[in-house]
Amino acid sequence: MAQETYKLYGKNFLPICDHELSERPYAVDFQSQPTLVIKDNDLFLITDHLGNTVAYADSQKRTVTGLFCRDTRFLSRSELQIEGVSPVLLGSCADTDYSIIVDATNPTVKGVLKPEAVGIKRKIALRGGLWEEIELRNYTTSSLDFEVSLSFQADFKDLFEIRNYTRRSHRGQSLEQVSAEDLCLSFAYRGLDNSLMESLIEFLHHPPDHVKGNTIIWRVKIDSQEVFRFGYCLQTKINNQSSSHVLLSDSYQGAIKDAEREKEEWYQGVNKIRTDSAVVNRIIEQAEEDIYLLLQSFGFGKVLVAGIPWFSTLFGRDSLIAARQTLMFDPRIARDTLLTLARFQGMNHSDWRDESPGKILHELRLGELARCDEIPHTPYYGTVDATPLWLILLAEYFYHTGDRDIIDKLWRNAIASMNWIDEQSRQTGYLTYLCRSSRGIQNQGWKDSGDCIVNGRGELIEGAIALCEVQGYVYGAKISMSNIASMMGDSSLAEKWKAEAQELKRRFNRDFWLESENYCALGIDDKGNPIDSITSNPGHCLLWDIFIPEKARAVGDRLCKPDMFTGWGIRTLSSLSPAYNPMGYHLGSVWPHDSGIIAQGLHHIGMVDQAFMVAEGLITMTSLQANNRPSELFCGFSRQENHIPVKYPVACLPQAWATGVIFQLLELFLNPKGQNIDQVSLPPLIKDKLLEKPF
């Protein structure tokens, strides 16, 4: 009986079983091992240190690798073997944000190769696709004859499948193209949404000698000191169109040049900030590199994605906070973030997506699970704070740039956002969240883990919650947008928003204040009771002036006490809480962006020495990290002599709002305002500490 043939986009395909995709066994060690990660716009690649990607590494005890675009793994295996065995690693690195260099050699192959006879160099780059060149050099005095192979596989799995966030009862159909071109290898998959995904591999320099299934074999015959070079280009497609926003380069060398050119053009448009400290300047230089690495296109300019590798997508809260942090460094990021998020602003009422008209999204996903509506991220709107943060960024971008066009273009979006805030606050007077989606996020503030909202007894609080910092954001949004409305000539709207802000401030100082603690509650629960745990959240309110002065000072003082300040940063939860766990995601860990916002707030209310104390901890912490990168978070253990900060085991690196905190802290040091940003003088407290032994 003849097999069914699919004709898609002018190509003929036959269905195949997944087990037919690869015939040659693996030579690599599947156990968990370090990885290399590179990214270029919307493509990112994770390899092991040999430059391989390995397909069956999707359990928690194994390393996850692959080439990803639009939340889909387009390459799940690309393994180099010499005579059927794995090369011996000499050294490897992510040479740039978008390229990897691997140096290796051969193991002993009895009767064929003595050890270390062949030098192996793998050069990998991303630019609209994946480019790899491999060079084999004969370092013996005689000729060599041996086999080298590359085995490929593409499983087209959704990122949420790979990370075990969901298990699917059905998947789409793996396909094989009929009459594929010579010197090419193709993989195809038809999703349950009928989208056609393809990985097309073209071999370069030296045509293969044999093809066995998805293993490509070259017979290498090289004389002493001779070099054998081969390679390939892999292009990713969805529905016969490139899946990447970036044009495919014409060669590996072209990919490097194109990526370098675009990066240099971007760098010419940023404000270059330097200080009188070589240590801090190295941190700034790495932060500049990472900001560029995190930029990604979503059709309306480039926005900072949340973190690499698993959060390389558009977020509301993360992208907004990072754009605000980097406003002094590159205001174009804020502009593109505002425009992009406005494009996805909520239009309908949807419990599945936690969507309402005027609401700013939480997270956008583009993979098969989202397209099939198996997850609500199309986009998902389960965030309570992104909408007021969007309004704050809109006002601050205008104050910073004077760009009136952006206000005119986004004014209707601003009105819709404010209307959502007012509607959502109508019942209690406070902006409150409650998850409506069966696949949504229960806690919808920046601390969004399932166990982070606890009271003073360490008990979990659930249901509708009004977080303290969110009310601070609303107050800041109404005050700043009142000024914008006045500029727009709408005095009645300006007065309305200002009056609402003043009333919110009055009630907030009454309802959120814990007299017994002389501190602000984490939030108010659905019964109207204060959630009386001592957390970092009230520190976000300092910047927006929602506290009356004496309460602002009391919050600032408590944040700097030993139960909150570790010496490196501010704990998310007091160490005196029964729920405190220094290794907990939001139960006592330290998040640089959280501490950075607090430092800025302390500075704003006149607690300058305390602000610099927090800033020093963050800067010194960063100087002790690999590549001078601040981690997404780290454990909340107290700072001790001769100890470095304790890493959180699965933090993103780099991560947008952790990287952005570097530029946020630099703003604190610009005193007086107008000081040249290329010669910022650090406060003596920070400069002296950096000169000491840094523990």
Side-chain angles (χ1 to χ4, degrees):
M1 183 176 176
Q3 271 189 301
E4 179 184 4
T5 301
Y6 296 92
K7 187 162 186 176
L8 303 168
Y9 300 97
K11 303 174 186 177
N12 293 318
F13 296 92
L14 292 173
I16 58 172
C17 297
D18 288 343
H19 65 77
E20 297 176 28
L21 290 175
S22 184
E23 294 81 7
R24 177 162 292 206
Y26 286 94
V28 298
D29 178 5
F30 277 115
Q31 294 306 307
S32 183
Q33 56 183 293
T35 57
L36 298 170
V37 182
I38 56 174
K39 177 179 175 292
D40 184 61
N41 201 314
D42 51 6
L43 282 167
F44 72 88
L45 174 71
I46 310 173
T47 74
D48 66 16
H49 276 212
L50 275 167
N52 294 316
T53 60
V54 287
Y56 298 120
D58 51 6
S59 74
Q60 291 185 356
K61 294 183 179 180
R62 295 173 178 174
T63 303
V64 176
T65 62
L67 174 67
F68 295 84
C69 187
R70 298 176 69 86
D71 300 319
T72 302
R73 182 158 65 179
F74 282 89
L75 181 66
S76 49
R77 184 184 186 188
S78 59
E79 185 193 5
L80 178 68
Q81 295 182 11
I82 307 293
E83 289 286 341
V85 294
S86 192
V88 176
L89 178 67
L90 299 176
S92 61
C93 67
D95 187 45
T96 66
D97 298 338
Y98 42 80
S99 64
I100 289 171
I101 299 291
V102 178
D103 286 296
T105 188
N106 64 284
T108 300
V109 180
K110 189 175 181 180
V112 180
L113 290 172
K114 294 180 179 179
E116 301 170 3
V118 180
I120 304 168
K121 185 178 287 290
R122 301 183 74 172
K123 299 186 292 184
I124 302 169
L126 298 177
R127 192 64 186 174
L130 170 64
W131 295 87
E132 178 167 11
E133 289 196 349
I134 301 172
E135 295 176 357
L136 308 175
R137 181 182 288 272
N138 178 357
Y139 283 112
T140 72
T141 56
S142 58
S143 61
L144 295 175
D145 184 343
F146 60 93
E147 178 189 282
V148 61
S149 66
L150 280 169
S151 295
F152 294 95
Q153 188 172 337
D155 59 13
F156 300 101
K157 282 189 175 181
D158 189 288
L159 187 145
F160 277 58
E161 288 182 88
I162 294 166
R163 301 201 69 212
N164 293 319
Y165 282 159
T166 187
R167 293 191 180 278
R168 308 180 75 190
S169 57
H170 297 89
R171 293 193 80 239
Q173 178 65 60
S174 296
L175 303 172
E176 180 179 47
Q177 186 177 349
V178 179
S179 301
E181 295 180 21
D182 293 338
L183 301 182
C184 292
L185 182 65
S186 66
F187 297 90
Y189 170 81
R190 190 181 192 183
L192 294 180
D193 63 331
N194 291 321
S195 291
L196 175 66
M197 288 167 272
E198 296 178 277
S199 293
L200 307 177
I201 304 173
E202 179 183 1
F203 297 100
L204 310 170
H205 307 310
H206 243 292
D209 293 298
H210 305 286
V211 177
K212 292 184 178 179
N214 297 326
T215 295
I216 313 302
I217 300 168
W218 290 263
R219 194 75 214 174
V220 180
K221 299 178 180 181
I222 44 176
D223 293 331
S224 175
Q225 301 302 320
E226 188 179 353
V227 174
F228 182 92
R229 185 160 64 105
F230 61 104
Y232 64 90
C233 170
L234 185 152
Q235 188 173 11
T236 60
K237 289 191 172 186
I238 298 180
N239 295 333
N240 211 36
Q241 301 293 319
S242 174
S243 67
S244 175
H245 283 91
V246 180
L247 290 175
L248 184 69
S249 296
D250 61 1
S251 64
Y252 170 83
Q253 290 79 9
I256 296 294
K257 289 179 180 177
D258 291 344
E260 287 175 346
R261 185 186 308 112
E262 182 178 298
K263 185 174 182 179
E264 181 59 29
E265 288 173 356
W266 168 81
Y267 190 64
Q268 292 303 315
V270 306
N271 295 310
K272 300 167 185 66
I273 308 164
R274 294 295 182 269
T275 73
D276 54 358
S277 164
V279 173
V280 174
N281 288 342
R282 287 194 294 271
I283 292 172
I284 295 170
E285 289 164 5
Q286 184 61 57
E288 291 172 342
E289 293 283 326
D290 288 341
I291 289 297
Y292 181 77
L293 175 63
L294 289 157
L295 288 171
Q296 189 164 318
S297 300
F298 293 92
F300 307 92
K302 288 187 176 180
V303 177
L304 290 169
V305 298
I308 295 173
W310 305 121
F311 301 102
S312 292
T313 191
L314 178 64
F315 279 79
R317 176 192 310 117
D318 300 63
S319 298
L320 287 161
I321 288 177
R324 183 181 175 276
Q325 290 170 323
T326 55
L327 194 52
M328 177 179 68
F329 171 62
D330 186 2
R332 298 170 298 183
I333 297 172
R335 177 199 64 206
D336 291 353
T337 302
L338 290 164
L339 291 168
T340 300
L341 290 173
R343 169 63 179 80
F344 292 101
Q345 188 173 33
M347 299 291 290
N348 305 300
H349 292 281
S350 168
D351 287 350
W352 171 240
R353 299 195 295 172
D354 276 329
E355 179 186 6
S356 298
K359 198 175 183 183
I360 298 299
L361 66 79
H362 171 63
E363 182 179 357
L364 174 69
R365 290 294 178 175
L366 303 169
E368 184 184 359
L369 267 69
R371 298 194 304 270
C372 291
D373 216 28
E374 295 178 45
I375 57 174
H377 298 65
T378 56
Y380 177 59
Y381 291 85
T383 169
V384 71
D385 49 7
T387 306
L389 287 169
W390 185 89
L391 290 167
I392 286 171
L393 182 64
L394 177 61
E396 292 203 357
Y397 171 77
F398 172 73
Y399 297 148
H400 186 85
T401 64
D403 183 357
R404 173 64 184 263
D405 288 345
I406 201 80
I407 298 294
D408 293 336
K409 185 176 293 186
L410 297 178
W411 187 241
R412 288 186 179 180
N413 301 89
I415 297 293
S417 290
M418 198 68 84
N419 287 343
W420 175 80
I421 290 172
D422 292 344
E423 180 62 31
Q424 193 70 12
S425 307
R426 193 174 307 282
Q427 186 173 350
T428 65
Y430 296 113
L431 184 53
T432 302
Y433 69 79
L434 179 65
C435 179
R436 294 177 284 150
S437 175
S438 60
R439 295 293 302 272
I441 299 171
Q442 298 303 307
N443 290 321
Q444 297 186 355
W446 85 260
K447 296 177 181 176
D448 56 5
S449 55
D451 61 355
C452 64
I453 306 299
V454 296
N455 63 20
R457 296 179 296 281
E459 299 165 339
L460 189 65
I461 304 298
E462 298 177 319
I465 292 170
L467 294 169
C468 64
E469 77 273 18
V470 174
Q471 316 317 313
Y473 302 154
V474 171
Y475 179 83
K478 285 188 177 285
I479 289 294
S480 58
M481 292 307 296
S482 172
N483 295 331
I484 299 293
S486 181
M487 180 203 72
M488 295 284 288
D490 195 335
S491 58
S492 62
L493 189 58
E495 291 170 5
K496 175 180 180 290
W497 285 342
K498 185 175 181 180
E500 289 171 349
Q502 291 170 341
E503 171 60 16
L504 173 61
K505 181 173 183 175
R506 183 189 68 77
R507 288 185 286 104
F508 178 83
N509 280 272
R510 178 194 68 198
D511 297 342
F512 278 76
W513 198 251
L514 303 171
E515 293 292 346
S516 62
E517 297 286 350
N518 197 31
Y519 195 69
C520 178
L522 166 60
I524 292 178
D525 66 18
D526 56 7
K527 298 179 180 62
N529 299 317
I531 304 170
D532 59 347
S533 52
I534 305 302
T535 67
S536 62
N537 300 55
H540 290 221
C541 297
L542 298 177
L543 191 58
W544 309 115
D545 293 325
I546 193 171
F547 287 122
I548 60 175
E550 57 267 30
K551 289 182 177 177
R553 182 79 194 195
V555 167
D557 285 338
R558 182 58 189 274
L559 287 166
C560 297
K561 298 293 185 184
D563 66 311
M564 292 299 293
F565 180 57
T566 68
W568 302 117
I570 307 294
R571 291 187 180 95
T572 44
L573 178 67
S574 167
S575 61
L576 302 177
S577 169
Y580 168 68
N581 180 352
M583 300 164 289
Y585 197 56
H586 294 123
L587 292 174
S589 58
V590 173
W591 290 64
H593 90 277
D594 185 35
S595 294
I597 291 171
I598 291 170
Q600 194 173 25
L602 290 168
H603 193 277
H604 176 70
I605 65 171
M607 298 180 68
V608 176
D609 289 345
Q610 292 88 339
F612 289 166
M613 177 182 73
V614 176
E616 181 277 322
L618 292 171
I619 290 172
T620 303
M621 175 277 298
T622 302
S623 73
L624 297 171
Q625 303 303 303
N627 299 323
N628 293 303
R629 280 175 164 165
S631 179
E632 175 187 15
L633 73 158
F634 50 98
C635 294
F637 296 106
S638 295
R639 185 172 178 174
Q640 297 181 43
E641 188 175 357
N642 298 323
H643 284 71
I644 63 173
V646 178
K647 293 182 178 180
Y648 187 80
V650 291
C652 284
L653 195 69
Q655 204 254 9
W657 61 16
T659 301
V661 81
I662 302 304
F663 301 100
Q664 188 174 29
L665 295 177
L666 289 170
E667 284 193 62
L668 303 184
F669 311 145
L670 288 173
N671 189 21
K673 300 294 184 183
Q675 178 183 354
N676 291 336
I677 63 172
D678 60 352
Q679 49 185 354
V680 177
S681 297
L682 295 182
L685 168 68
I686 295 175
K687 196 170 183 181
D688 292 348
K689 282 278 189 179
L690 290 171
L691 291 173
E692 297 173 4
K693 187 178 180 181
F695 303 119

